[in-house]
Amino acid sequence: MQSTNNSARYVVLDSYRFLAASGVVLFHYNIDFQLGLATRFTIVANLSCMVDFFLILSGLVMVQGYRSRLGSAREYGEFLRARWARIYPLHVLILACYLLLIAIAHLLHVQPNHPEILALSGLPANLLLVQAWGFLDHPSFNVPSWSISAEWFVYLLAPAVFAIVRRVSLSFSMLCSLLMVAAMIVVHNALGAQDWMDLTYQFGMLRALPSFFAGAATAEAICNGQLRGKPSWWTVHALAASALVVLSLDVRRELVLPVFCSLIVFAALADAGKVPSVMKNRVLLVLGESSYALYMSHVLVSVPLLVAARRLHLIETPWTFAFAFASFGITIVLSLLSYRYFERPMRSWITRVAKTPSANPSRDSVSTTSSSSTIRGGD
C-alpha cells in the first residue's frame, strides 16, 4: 500500500482546535463567573473532555510530522526542541503575568480567592513542566497548563509510542488504548478516587497517555494506507454532532473518546480530499492558529474582570454573562496578537539559535512547520 506524505498538514484541524478550546473556555467561565449553565445543560459540565480531544489530535499530528524522524538521539533531541519551542515560551510568559498579579495583589493588600493556587512553592514544578506529574496536591498558577505538562510527558515517550504503533496493527493499537482506559477505571475505582477523566494536577499525565496513543495509532494507519478514503464533510459534521450528543447525555464520558477519534480521522481524510467546507473558512483557520494562546490565557484574562464583577456585586446576575463574553472577546484578540507577535517569532528565534552548522536546512524547515501544529490542551 502506498504511504501518504507523513508531513501532511490538515488545516481543517485548526478550526476544530478553536472550537474545542472555546469549549474549555466555556467550561471554566461557567464555574468562575458562576453562570449556572451546567445545572441546565449537561454538556457544559462535560466540556472538560475537550482536553482529551486535544490529546488525541496531538498524537495524530506528532506522528504525521515525525514518524520517520525519531530514529536517533539527535533527531529525538530536535523533536523535543521543536516541541519545547512551541509550548514553553507562552507558558513562561503566562507564569510571569501571574507573578506580576501576585506582586500587585501584595502592594494593594488584596487577598486572592484561592491563595494556594498562587503559592510560590508550586513555581519550580511549573517551570519544569511537571505540574501534572503528581508533585503538587493542588492546582498551581495557570490551571489549564496542567495539560501542557501532560503533553510534555507524552512527548518524552513519543519514540516508544511511535515504535509500538508502527509495529502492530491498528486494531491491536486500539485494543492497547482501550486496556489503558480500563486500567485507569479499575485502579481509580479500587482506590475510591475521582473519575480518571478529571485528573489534572494529580497525575494528569497518565490521563494523556491513552488518548495520545490512540491518535498516534490512527495517524500511523493513515500514513501506511490502512485508513484511507474520501469521506464527505456531511459525515464529519455528523460525527461532530454525535460527540456533542454524547457529551449531553448522562453516560460515562469515556464513550466520547472513540467519537473524538473518528471525528479527527474523518476530518483529516476529508481535508486531504481538498473538498471545500465551512470548517475551512479563513476566519476559523486564523482563530485555530491562535487557539493555543486562547487556551492558555483565558483564565488569566478573566481575573481582573472577575474582580470587577465581584466588587460590583454582579456575580450570579444577568450581567455576569456580559463579563464572561467580554473576557472571551478580549482573550481572542490577545491570542491573535500573541500568535503573530510572540509565539511565532519566539519559535523561529529558538530554532535559529539551536540550529547546528551540520543541520539539514530542509529538515529544520519541516520541523518548524510541524511544530506549529501542536495540540492546544490542549492544545
Side-chain angles (χ1 to χ4, degrees), residues 5-14 17 53-70 79 83 86 151 155 158 162 211-220 222-223 264-265 268 366-376 379:
N5 182 358
N6 69 331
S7 62
R9 176 83 159 86
Y10 301 123
V11 295
V12 73
L13 296 180
D14 285 337
R17 285 189 183 97
F53 176 91
F54 293 142
L55 293 166
I56 296 171
L57 185 54
S58 181
L60 181 140
V61 170
M62 292 303 101
V63 167
Q64 286 286 336
Y66 294 98
R67 68 188 288 260
S68 61
R69 297 193 286 122
L70 286 182
F79 166 73
R83 306 319 308 149
R86 180 64 183 100
E151 280 222 44
Y155 291 160
F162 293 1
S211 296
F212 183 85
F213 192 92
T218 54
E220 179 63 30
I222 292 174
C223 289
I264 291 168
V265 170
V366 173
S367 295
T368 302
T369 302
S370 300
S371 69
S372 69
S373 305
T374 189
I375 180 64
R376 276 63 162 173
D379 149 189

Side-chain angles (χ1 to χ4, degrees), residues 174-246:
M174 288 304 180
L175 176 61
C176 290
S177 184
L178 180 62
L179 290 174
M180 292 181 207
V181 171
M184 297 281 279
I185 294 173
V186 170
V187 170
H188 278 74
N189 287 345
L191 296 176
Q194 68 185 94
D195 190 327
W196 73 276
M197 290 189 72
D198 287 328
L199 292 178
T200 54
Y201 61 88
Q202 65 292 59
F203 300 105
M205 84 289 193
L206 297 178
R207 170 181 172 181
L209 194 53
S211 296
F212 183 85
F213 192 92
T218 54
E220 179 63 30
I222 292 174
C223 289
N224 65 32
Q226 290 183 68
L227 288 177
R228 51 187 172 180
K230 296 180 181 179
S232 70
W233 283 111
W234 286 111
T235 304
V236 178
H237 300 333
L239 284 168
S242 299
L244 297 179
V245 169
V246 173

